[in-house]
Amino acid sequence: MGTPPVTGSTAPDHARLRAMAHRLLASSPEAEEAVRATERILSSYGPGPRARRGPGPVPDPGPPPETVLARVCLGRLRARETRHTAPWDPWSSPAPFSPTPAERLILVLHDDFGVPYEDLAPALERAPAALRQTATRARAHHPDAAPTTTSPASTPSPTPPTWRP
């Protein structure tokens, strides 16, 4: 059974973050650790002992949870890349295309979970337009990475995918 969220976030938020982390990291224990780290970071924002009370500006609610999770997972993926030790990972195949951690993050969070480029840009320290370009190039190098959502901008081509033995 899953561990309850550390903060006051709702269960659907926790479940969605966990699904994103699992899709990115391909490991349930590592995904749960990433979600807990994300929730610890998010708990440092917003109301708390240092929150301003009375008239004046409202405390900073912090970045979107997806942005924080993206940053946490990106760090784990980069560490994995330098150590060359990771659990079985469906993204690391013998195919000529193996997405970089940044490409993987963009493809999974944007294409599979619909996270806007604007929310991912701070995590990758790039402009949203640069993320769009990176995603386009990654999809061109790896046709199977085409978006799985059915938005008008990501309508699949009428050509069926090619199967490789």
Side-chain angles (χ1 to χ4, degrees):
M1 298 298 159
T3 308
V6 174
T7 64
S9 65
T10 62
D13 290 342
H14 181 81
R16 184 168 190 259
L17 291 175
R18 190 174 189 297
M20 289 176 177
H22 189 270
R23 179 81 168 100
L24 284 166
L25 301 172
S27 163
S28 291
E30 201 172 6
E32 191 61 41
E33 285 179 31
V35 171
R36 274 189 257 134
T38 299
E39 290 174 340
R40 277 193 306 274
I41 292 167
L42 289 172
S43 69
S44 68
Y45 288 92
R50 296 188 308 182
R52 181 176 173 91
R53 290 176 179 37
V58 176
D60 181 13
E66 296 86 358
T67 301
V68 176
L69 179 75
R71 197 74 177 152
V72 169
C73 289
L74 184 63
R76 290 175 183 272
L77 290 169
R78 286 180 176 161
R80 215 188 255 183
E81 192 176 58
T82 58
R83 287 191 318 253
H84 298 290
T85 59
W88 176 81
D89 188 353
W91 284 82
S92 59
S93 65
F97 174 78
S98 180
T100 66
E103 290 171 337
R104 180 175 178 169
L105 192 110
I106 295 166
L107 292 174
V108 169
L109 295 183
H110 177 72
D111 293 355
D112 292 349
F113 290 96
V115 177
Y117 291 117
E118 291 74 20
D119 289 351
L120 295 175
L124 293 167
E125 298 173 346
R126 297 183 192 168
L131 297 185
R132 284 185 194 88
Q133 186 176 22
T134 300
T136 301
R137 287 180 182 159
R139 287 184 206 108
H141 286 24
H142 190 55
D144 295 337
T148 57
T149 57
T150 55
S151 66
S154 63
T155 306
S157 65
T159 315
T162 57
W163 294 97
R164 297 182 196 108

